[in-house]
Each structure stands twice: as structure tokens, then as C-alpha cells.
Amino acid sequence: MGVTGDEIGPARSRERFLLGEPVAGGVRSPILNSWLRCQSLGLSPDQTDLPYRDDFDPDSRLVRAAGPVLDQLASRFTGSRMNVSLADGNGTVLERRFGEPGLAQSLPPIQSVPGFVFAERFAGTNGIGLALAERRLVQVYGAEHFAERSQSNACSATPIRDQLSGDVVGVLCFGYPHGYEDPALPALVRRAAETIERRLMEQHSARERALLRTYLEASNLARTGTTAGNGHLIGLDELGDSGLDRSDQMILKEKATELISSTQRAAVAVSLPHGRGVTLLSSPLVSRSGVEGVVVEAVLTDDSPPAHHLSVLPRTGPPLGPPPGPLAGTAAPAGGARGKVRGLVLVGEPEVGKYAVAARRRLELLAEASTRIGTTLDVTRTAWELAETAVPRLADYVTIDVPEAVLRGEESADPWTELHRAVVHGIRDDCPFYPAGQRVELRAGTPHMRCLDSGQAVLEPDLRNALDWIDQEPEHARRIFAHHVHSLVCVPLLARGVLLGVASFYRSEDPAPFGDDDTWLAQELAARAALCIDNARRYTHEHTLALALQQSLLPRGVPEQGAVEVAHRYLPAESGVGGDWFDIIPLSGTRVALLVGDVVGHGLHAAATMGRLRTAARNFAELELAPDELLTHLDNLLVRLDREEGGENDSGSTGIVGATCLYAVYDPTTQQCTMARAGHPPPALVHPGGGVTFPDLPAGPPLGLGGLPFETAEIRLPEGSTLVLYTDGLIEDRHRDIDVALDQLSRVLAQPNRTPEDTCQAVIDAVAPDHPADDIALLVARTRTVPAGRIATWDVPADPALVSGIRAAATRQLAEWGLDELAFAAELMLSELVTNAVRYGTEPIQVRLVHDRHLICEVADGSSTAPHLRRAATTEEGGRGLFLVAQLAHAWGTRYTTHGKVIWAECTLDAA
């Protein structure tokens, strides 16, 4: 077996490891983990002695199943220096075969005589020990062995499992020198192990056939006996004539399996779905070969109406009487019924029954997990659902650690170092584990880190042997052992190639350690949870992006204006960010526009569409459009966007579905509010005295339908009135009727003299759903007015000679307001604007000065001709009027009315 370790194993890496130097990059993970465990156990590389056991069974079921396979392998390897070893589940070698028979005489006893224990804790890293530790096919080459004595060896080994229990019952190992290395050897050892597993399964079948023969022989003997008065025994296929259907059969078989696993004599009444009652009788049974088992029969009266048919065992000949011997106690109990029928349900060994019951319970748990895990798109909640599903039916305690980045909806760049304990759950509140919310630090070699490094489940049947874990934190380990925790399964949370954390399952109350079947079940549960966690992570990521996008697109604060006192709230939906928005837009002439809208749908697409609509609405508002015209432009925009996105989308998406909107313009100089809505809920109006009404506005179609008209409505709002605009998320809730919500809103708003900020909070507290399924945008505006003494108006005849009189009147008015320093600029602006109106406009012409936050100069005329600002040449006598206005004014512009236009200019009061 061998040449030097340099040729078949990482000799230099092993030397560096023994010197305490880091070697992680040059050694396979299973080997390095094994070295770390050997080091924790205090093993010496020079150790040559191994424990020897002479109490192993040379005729065990495993040896009998493996014998023919080992003989075939020995024949295959005839003349070679190959050797084949069979070990039990504890690492004790039971059988050896050699390609060269004389090789056994040339090897030391430790390598040639059965009985030596090659478990890792005694022999260090080797094929048999590593296969038991990793519970899968392994290969060990030369210097990968921990012990010096094995440096020239190479081997391939794989576990042998009992297919009924799933437990590892042995190991098949090929040992060979480097010259015999062949890529086909791992596949060969795997196929040989599978053959042994099948032969073990055939042994189970042979034992159960022996039990069935014993039962049938006893039944045949009973046919010649006297059975009068005790009913008659039939095959279960004939029980169908007594009213049992296929679902009844499954119920009886499941209950019979439980009775077999209990090993006790029992009589159990079983209620069937159709109201029929059946008694199951279980009795011990021993075959002639000494196999101990249990037989279960069904007893039912034959006076029930026939129903469907059930077929299990065929029967020939006359009716069977009660079998003698161990079956004597299975006769139907006397009770006065006209006649009773007994039929065989199951015959089997108790251990097999236990495996069947456990397998069914595992399937039931998996079926339950499909409905319990992943009910929400929340990472932490999904992790809790995994823990709650596993406790107590699989484990007594569960801890789940995920990287902090995953909780934020991101992929972790280094999940090994930023683990965060998300869940601790167990059968007792005083869990001995670190609490949730704490950062988790793992060291190399621990089961948890091995799980994360390999991406595979790690089973520690006996935690007291996990010295690498105990050495990391001895005090913490003692505390866990004090709660009788004895077994562990670590499973990585992997989904779509992304490592999302690790789930650890611990057992304390159940004395049986975790086995491979438990590990597979934990992996199935973790795989489902990982997929749901990844879905939740992706949703959280998109939700966070959409929320950040939406918040960046919503108003950052309240713009400076004096028309209304405003407050607002925005609440995102629990299940996803939508397209709700609001806006406050100062307009010329002290007016203000109030806007709320709602894009259909959720997510990034809805948030992006909302941003487009809000930007467009602000731009249209800057054009001083009337509410109905503004909604028409938004409608056209949405139709165009929908058409463009639908044309570019090949996935069949319907693009933008639509939006609703309410647009209101309030003028504090006239106290008039002009509103229009597009499929949006009407606003609530709180009168100064506290009365609440919902103005009857024309509904209008939602945006995006195209071609349908919108209508406006004008309402006078006395000073101190409060206008409440909101989106439908405030009043629509599947647990509450919309009329009930509107009544609640009315009651909350019916409080006079409350600030908009207080009103906002009161509405959210009392009316908003506890778990909003849609976004909520709320805008509360309390009206102000411009006092009449701060407004001056003059009608101007279309006579250029009268312009000077208007300038003089304006100058006097500014003096009365204490704005003498603005008189020169205002006089120049009015002169140019009035002159333009007289020359190029039509009557009626009106001049208005408004003393508000700014001094506003307005000239209105009946013409719709728009003025244009241009830079006049030095040789031109005119064309400098609007240019002069633009130089003198803080802002200026034009707005159109139903009767013409208004040219306005603002001067800041700071200039005074």
C-alpha cells in the first residue's frame, strides 16, 4: 500500500499543520476538519496501538449480508495488493479480504486481523473513521492520514445503511497502494455497498415471510378445529364485503403499524369515517426460526351493510378458525352479535413497525411544513416557522443564524463572519443557547463551521465527542449539557446557490440520537425554509429599493407658501410599496395646488410610475393649467407610457394599469377652491365650526383610460376650513366596510381648532388599518386668507394716456403699505405691463397689487396672446419691456383664465 506521502497526499501541509501553521488553502475541507478533531482529541501522529474487541459477532446480519459481496471483491482483486475491509457502525473491523492471500501474513495484526477499532477518535484520519464521521463516500490519500503508520496508504470508503432505519450500520473500505489508484474505485465501492444494503433488506423480507408462514400454518391447522360460537376468520380481501373501502384500509394499516411497533398485546377500537367501528387485535408471534413479531387482525360484525371492496390477502378453502398457540387470544370477544368476521391486517417485526411509523411521521411533518413555512415574505418570520415546525417533532431545540445582510434583503459577501442569531426556539423557555439578536462567532472545526464550509449537513450523534465545539467555549458547552442536550444536526440554508445561514437542531428529551433519516428530514425542512427565506430576502431587497425610491420621489418638506397650513403623512403597505403620492405646489397670485394620487400596483414599477406622474403634475401645474386640463394631460401621458411599455415588453406584461388623482387649487384672495378628480375618493371638508362634509365632486375616470372628459367644481372655503385629501388605503380594508371607515373619519375630523399636524396623527391613529394592505397618503390643509386691506385693484381703460395715473395710484398704495422702497421697481414693472396690455391686449384690463409674502403685481386682459421675452438690439427703440420686468422681478410669468390671461411679477419684500 504505498509510496511516499509526497506523491499521494499533502505531506507538507500536514507538517505545517502539526507545527500550528495555517493550512486551510492546501487541504481538502473534510481532511482538515478531521485533523482538527484529531488534534482536539489529543491524538499523537506516532500512535500505533488501537483498541481491540473480541466481543463482536462474526455471524451478525451485516456479516452474513456482506459475505458473498466480499468474496466477489476478493476474486476480482486476485493477485493484487488490494484489501477490502468491512467494519460495523462503531468502526470495528469485522471482515477482511486480500487480493494476495499471503499479504495477510506480511502485514501487522492491526491491518490484517478483525476486531481492531478504526473509529476516528482512536485511529485518527483514515477511510473507515472518516466515512463514519462524514457519513458519505470518502477518499484518503497518503499524508492525509493523521497517523504516521498510514502515510503510504490510500483508501476509498463508504457507509453501509440499513434502508429501513436509515442508520449507518457499517463501512466498506478499499485499501490499496498508490500504484493501484483508479478513478473507477469509488464507484465500485459504492456499488458494492449498495448490494450489501439490498441484501440486508432481503433479510428483513425473509424474516417477515417467516412470520407470515407461521401465521398461515397456524390458520390452516385451525381449519380442522371447532370454531362454532367464535365467529370465523377470513382473508382481509373479503372484509370489503363487510363495508370497508380503500380509505378504511389505509386507516387500519396505519393503526396496525403502530400496534406492531408497540410490541404489546392489545385490543383497540378504531372509528372509521363512515361511522363503522372496527376492533384491532395485536398478539405476539414467533416463527420456527425464532423471529419474534406481532400479528394484527381486524374484528368486525357481519351485520353491517356491504360497501366497497378491499384486497390484502387471498384466501382459499373453508373459513379459517382461530389459530392455536400465540394466536389463541385473538378470537373475537363474545358479545351477543349475530356473527363476527376476523381478517389479517399486518404481520411484522416491532423494529420494522417503528421504522414505518417514524417514516410516516416524517412524511406528515414534511406535508405540514409545506403549509407552515413561508406564509409571509419576512425573513425572520420564515426562520421562526422553520423552528416551530421542527420543535418538538424532530428536535427539542432549534437555533437559526443568518447573516445580517440577509435580514436587510441583501446577499452576504462573507456569511461566515457576520452571522446574526435570528431564532432560538425550544421545548422550554430557558433555552441554554445564546439569545436571538446576538452576533454569532464560529471557529474552524466546529460542526456549524464545517456545515457552512462544506455546504452540507453535519451530524453529531453524540455532542460530547465534538471536542472541537466544546473546546471553543467550554462554559457554554457545560450549560448546554446541563439541559441534557446530547445530539446535533447542522444544516446549511442554501437557495439558488446563495448561502443564507445555518439551522441547528438539538435533541435532549428524546434519548435516541439523531440519525441519517433525521438529518435528511432536517435537510428537507431547511431546503424549503431556505427557498422561502431567499424569496423573503429578495422581496425585502425590492421592497427596500422601492421604498427608498418612493421616499426620494415624495416631497422632502413643506414648500414655503402662505395660502394654507399643511401637514402630511405617508405609510407604506406592509406587503409592498405602492404608488401613492402627494404634493403641495405654490402657484402665482398667492395660490396653492394640493395633489394626491395613487398608481395601481406595488413595487419598483409602481414607485417609478408615481415619480413620473408627480414630476409631470408639477410641470403641468407650473403652466398654470386648470385642474381638469391638468388631469387631461396626465391621462394622455399615462396612456402614452402604457403604450410605449407595452410595445417594448415581450413577456406579456400589461404595462401600467392606471392611476387615480385628486387635484385642487386654492386661492386665498378669493377663498375659492377649484377641484377635479380622476377616479379618486373625494376629499373631506372640515368647516370652521367642526362640521364635516364630503363635497360632491364629479368622479371622473381613472387616469390611463384616455379620451374621457374631466370636470371641475368650485367651493368657497371660509378661513380656517380644513381640506383633507387621502388615498384609498386609508379607508379601504378587507376587514371593514368603506362606509364604516368614512364614518370613523368624519368623527375624528369633527374637532374644531385642531392643527393640521394633530389632525394627521389623529386620523392615522383612528382610521388607518392596523396592517395596511395598501399605501396611505394623507394631506391636511387648513386655509388662510389674504386680508382685503392688502389687495388693491384698478380697472384700466384701453388708453395709453391713463397709464401714468395707474402708476401714481400704485405708488400711493405702496406708501400706505410701508413699501416705499419698492415703489420704483413696481412703478417700472406696472408701466411696462399695463402699456403692453393697452397696446396688444383687449378689454377688460385690470391691475391688481397683493401684499403677501411678496409684493405681487398682476395685469389681466381679455386676450390670450402670450407675451415673449426677447433681447432687443441696440438700434431698436422697443422690445425691452418684458426683459426689464424679468430683471426687476423675483419671478414672473403668465397664467390663462377663462376670460383671457394674467401677466404677473413678484418682488421680494427683502428688497424693501
Side-chain angles (χ1 to χ4, degrees):
M1 293 174 67
V3 293
T4 62
D6 280 330
E7 294 180 312
I8 60 173
R12 293 183 60 83
S13 294
R14 178 176 173 275
E15 293 174 3
R16 292 170 55 200
F17 174 81
L18 295 176
L19 292 174
E21 300 177 10
V23 295
V27 183
R28 292 185 293 138
S29 177
I31 300 299
L32 179 58
N33 289 330
S34 179
W35 287 357
L36 290 170
R37 291 194 295 271
C38 295
Q39 194 176 60
S40 298
L41 289 165
L43 296 180
S44 169
D46 300 326
Q47 182 176 339
T48 58
D49 296 330
L50 292 181
Y52 178 79
R53 299 185 58 178
D54 57 5
D55 59 348
F56 66 90
D57 185 1
D59 191 38
S60 66
R61 292 178 55 233
L62 177 60
V63 172
R64 282 185 276 117
V69 179
L70 297 178
D71 291 340
Q72 291 177 6
L73 290 172
S75 175
R76 178 180 183 130
F77 296 139
T78 298
S80 72
R81 296 182 61 82
M82 295 284 293
N83 74 82
V84 181
S85 302
L86 174 71
D88 64 15
N90 297 315
T92 302
V93 175
L94 306 177
E95 288 280 328
R96 284 190 182 273
R97 297 286 193 278
F98 297 94
E100 293 181 5
L103 187 61
Q105 284 75 37
S106 63
L107 294 175
I110 197 174
Q111 294 183 343
S112 59
V113 178
F116 286 97
V117 183
F118 279 81
E120 190 181 67
R121 65 180 181 276
F122 302 120
T125 307
N126 70 93
I128 293 174
L130 191 59
L132 288 173
E134 294 288 325
R135 309 180 81 83
R136 59 190 174 93
L137 180 104
V138 299
Q139 292 176 280
V140 184
Y141 304 102
E144 289 184 335
H145 290 85
F146 189 76
E148 293 286 351
R149 65 172 180 273
S150 303
Q151 294 299 289
S152 60
N153 295 348
C155 55
S156 297
T158 190
I160 299 171
R161 289 183 169 83
D162 185 324
Q163 293 182 344
L164 275 177
S165 66
D167 295 334
V168 173
V169 295
V171 176
L172 183 65
C173 180
F174 291 176
Y176 44 86
H178 176 60
Y180 286 90
E181 176 64 27
D182 190 325
L185 286 177
L188 178 60
V189 72
R190 181 184 291 110
R191 288 198 303 271
E194 290 172 352
T195 302
I196 297 173
E197 291 173 353
R198 284 197 301 271
R199 290 179 59 81
L200 282 171
M201 192 66 186
E202 290 170 359
Q203 290 181 7
H204 285 297
S205 300
R207 293 162 69 88
E208 291 202 343
R209 284 196 299 271
L211 288 171
L212 182 57
R213 279 196 302 270
T214 300
Y215 173 82
L216 293 177
E217 289 171 359
S219 300
N220 288 332
L221 290 174
R223 293 177 183 174
T224 60
T226 302
T227 62
N230 286 331
H232 58 280
L233 180 66
I234 66 172
L236 196 53
D237 60 322
E238 295 177 294
L239 286 179
D241 295 328
S242 298
L244 302 182
D245 60 17
R246 186 168 297 276
S247 63
D248 297 333
Q249 174 192 15
M250 296 305 299
I251 293 173
L252 293 178
K253 282 188 173 182
E254 289 179 5
K255 191 62 181 178
T257 303
E258 295 177 5
L259 289 174
I260 290 176
S261 66
S262 68
T263 72
Q264 296 179 352
R265 185 189 301 269
V268 178
V270 180
S271 298
L272 299 176
H274 302 298
R276 182 71 183 275
V278 177
T279 300
L280 292 182
L281 303 174
S282 67
S283 298
L285 178 66
V286 181
S287 72
R288 290 184 177 181
S289 59
V291 178
E292 297 181 355
V294 176
V295 60
V296 178
E297 297 173 300
V299 179
L300 60 156
T301 59
D302 59 4
D303 55 359
S304 298
H308 307 288
H309 289 272
L310 177 68
S311 177
V312 175
L313 282 177
R315 184 189 66 83
T316 59
L320 300 179
L327 295 182
T330 65
R338 267 191 314 177
K340 295 192 175 181
V341 179
R342 287 214 326 275
L344 175 65
V345 180
L346 283 178
V347 173
E349 295 181 85
E351 286 301 313
V352 177
K354 290 179 181 178
Y355 299 148
V357 171
R360 188 179 74 246
R361 289 175 178 169
R362 284 193 290 269
L363 289 175
E364 291 172 350
L365 185 58
L366 283 176
E368 182 179 326
S370 66
T371 60
R372 289 188 61 181
I373 299 176
T375 60
T376 67
L377 287 171
D378 180 83
V379 172
T380 303
R381 182 60 213 156
T382 302
W384 267 103
E385 289 168 347
L386 168 60
E388 290 167 348
T389 301
V391 175
R393 295 164 64 180
L394 172 62
D396 297 312
Y397 297 99
V398 173
T399 65
I400 300 177
D401 305 320
V402 298
E404 295 180 13
V406 173
L407 297 175
R408 299 191 300 267
E410 304 168 4
E411 289 188 19
S412 174
D414 189 6
W416 297 267
T417 61
E418 60 168 28
L419 285 177
H420 172 92
R421 178 137 297 173
V423 173
V424 177
H425 182 55
I427 56 175
R428 296 171 53 179
D429 293 335
D430 58 335
C431 292
F433 304 96
Y434 291 127
Q438 186 167 322
R439 190 179 182 87
V440 179
E441 295 184 4
L442 301 176
R443 297 179 187 172
T446 61
H448 310 78
M449 185 58 78
R450 284 157 47 203
C451 171
L452 290 172
D453 286 340
S454 65
Q456 297 177 341
V458 171
L459 169 62
E460 288 286 354
D462 188 352
L463 266 177
R464 295 189 181 274
N465 292 331
L467 298 183
D468 44 8
W469 170 74
I470 297 174
D471 292 343
Q472 176 174 305
E473 293 182 283
E475 184 60 36
H476 182 54
R478 281 194 292 270
R479 187 164 62 251
I480 291 177
F481 289 142
H483 282 71
H484 309 291
V485 176
H486 59 81
S487 190
L488 164 68
V489 174
C490 293
V491 183
L493 297 173
L494 283 168
R496 303 181 180 97
V498 177
L499 182 60
L500 302 170
V502 59
S504 303
F505 302 83
Y506 298 87
R507 186 167 281 177
S508 63
E509 296 295 316
D510 188 341
F514 285 119
D516 284 336
D517 281 351
D518 299 313
T519 304
W520 293 330
L521 177 57
Q523 286 178 292
E524 289 293 329
L525 295 177
R528 174 170 182 81
L531 186 60
C532 295
I533 288 173
D534 193 48
N535 290 339
R537 179 192 65 81
R538 289 168 175 243
Y539 166 78
T540 301
H541 181 65
E542 180 177 335
H543 179 79
T544 302
L545 288 178
L547 185 59
L549 173 62
Q550 187 175 52
Q551 289 178 340
S552 69
L553 296 174
L554 289 172
R556 297 287 180 93
V558 178
E560 185 180 357
Q561 50 81 37
V564 291
E565 179 186 359
V566 294
H568 53 80
R569 292 288 189 278
Y570 169 76
L571 273 69
E574 283 192 350
S575 58
V577 176
D580 291 18
W581 86 96
F582 64 91
D583 215 340
I584 305 112
I585 308 171
L587 301 177
S588 64
T590 72
R591 297 171 307 133
V592 67
L594 305 174
L595 175 68
V596 291
D598 182 4
V599 175
V600 175
H602 292 83
L604 285 171
H605 186 263
T609 303
M610 175 274 288
R612 291 163 128 179
L613 286 179
R614 178 175 178 247
T615 301
R618 291 189 69 89
N619 290 334
F620 294 147
E622 291 290 337
L623 297 176
E624 305 279 1
L625 298 179
D628 57 337
E629 295 177 0
L630 183 138
L631 293 181
T632 299
H633 283 284
L634 289 180
D635 181 50
N636 293 335
L637 172 65
L638 202 57
V639 170
R640 185 168 62 254
L641 291 175
D642 192 28
R643 186 182 303 118
E644 292 173 356
E645 294 192 8
E648 297 173 357
N649 195 342
D650 297 329
S651 62
S653 172
T654 56
I656 300 170
V657 176
T660 65
C661 184
L662 171 62
Y663 185 73
V665 176
Y666 173 67
D667 187 344
T669 64
T670 62
Q671 299 181 357
Q672 292 293 320
C673 183
T674 306
M675 292 180 280
R677 63 187 178 117
H680 201 85
L685 176 58
V686 185
H687 299 275
V692 179
T693 60
F694 294 89
D696 186 17
L697 302 183
L703 301 176
L705 297 182
L708 298 175
F710 299 97
E711 299 180 54
T712 60
E714 284 195 2
I715 303 174
R716 186 177 184 278
L717 302 180
E719 184 176 6
S721 300
T722 300
L723 197 62
V724 181
L725 287 69
Y726 51 88
T727 55
D728 56 8
L730 178 69
I731 57 174
E732 291 186 1
D733 182 19
R734 61 183 176 181
H735 303 296
R736 176 183 60 183
D737 186 80
I738 190 169
D739 292 332
V740 174
L742 290 174
D743 288 342
Q744 289 178 325
L745 180 60
S746 296
R747 289 194 297 270
V748 173
L749 293 177
Q751 297 290 334
N753 302 321
R754 189 162 54 187
T755 66
E757 185 66 31
D758 292 341
T759 300
C760 262
Q761 193 60 49
V763 169
I764 292 298
D765 292 342
V767 185
D770 293 333
H771 304 283
D774 195 5
D775 290 13
I776 297 174
L778 176 65
L779 183 61
V780 177
R782 185 164 64 182
T783 63
R784 297 168 174 159
T785 61
V786 178
R790 291 197 167 210
I791 303 173
T793 305
W794 298 275
D795 293 324
V796 181
D799 184 354
L802 300 177
V803 173
S804 58
I806 296 299
R807 291 201 303 267
T811 300
R812 289 192 299 271
Q813 184 63 62
L814 292 176
E816 290 180 14
W817 289 341
L819 302 177
D820 299 274
E821 295 184 11
L822 291 177
F824 177 74
E827 184 177 350
L828 286 178
M829 288 190 298
L830 281 177
S831 177
E832 293 298 333
L833 294 178
V834 173
T835 301
N836 279 340
V838 170
R839 286 183 178 179
Y840 308 112
T842 59
E843 293 184 303
I845 300 173
Q846 188 179 70
V847 174
R848 187 173 75 158
L849 293 180
V850 180
H851 179 196
D852 192 46
R853 294 180 306 111
H854 305 289
L855 175 63
I856 302 172
C857 304
E858 297 180 344
V859 176
D861 70 82
S863 170
S864 298
T865 304
H868 296 285
L869 176 67
R870 67 185 182 89
R871 187 180 295 274
T874 55
T875 58
E876 293 184 273
E877 296 184 2
R880 296 179 176 83
L882 288 181
F883 181 77
L884 180 61
V885 170
Q887 293 295 310
L888 295 173
H890 167 70
W892 76 281
T894 304
R895 67 174 181 270
Y896 295 91
T897 66
T898 56
H899 307 293
K901 68 176 182 294
V902 175
I903 303 178
W904 56 270
E906 292 182 358
C907 291
T908 61
L909 299 183
D910 295 339

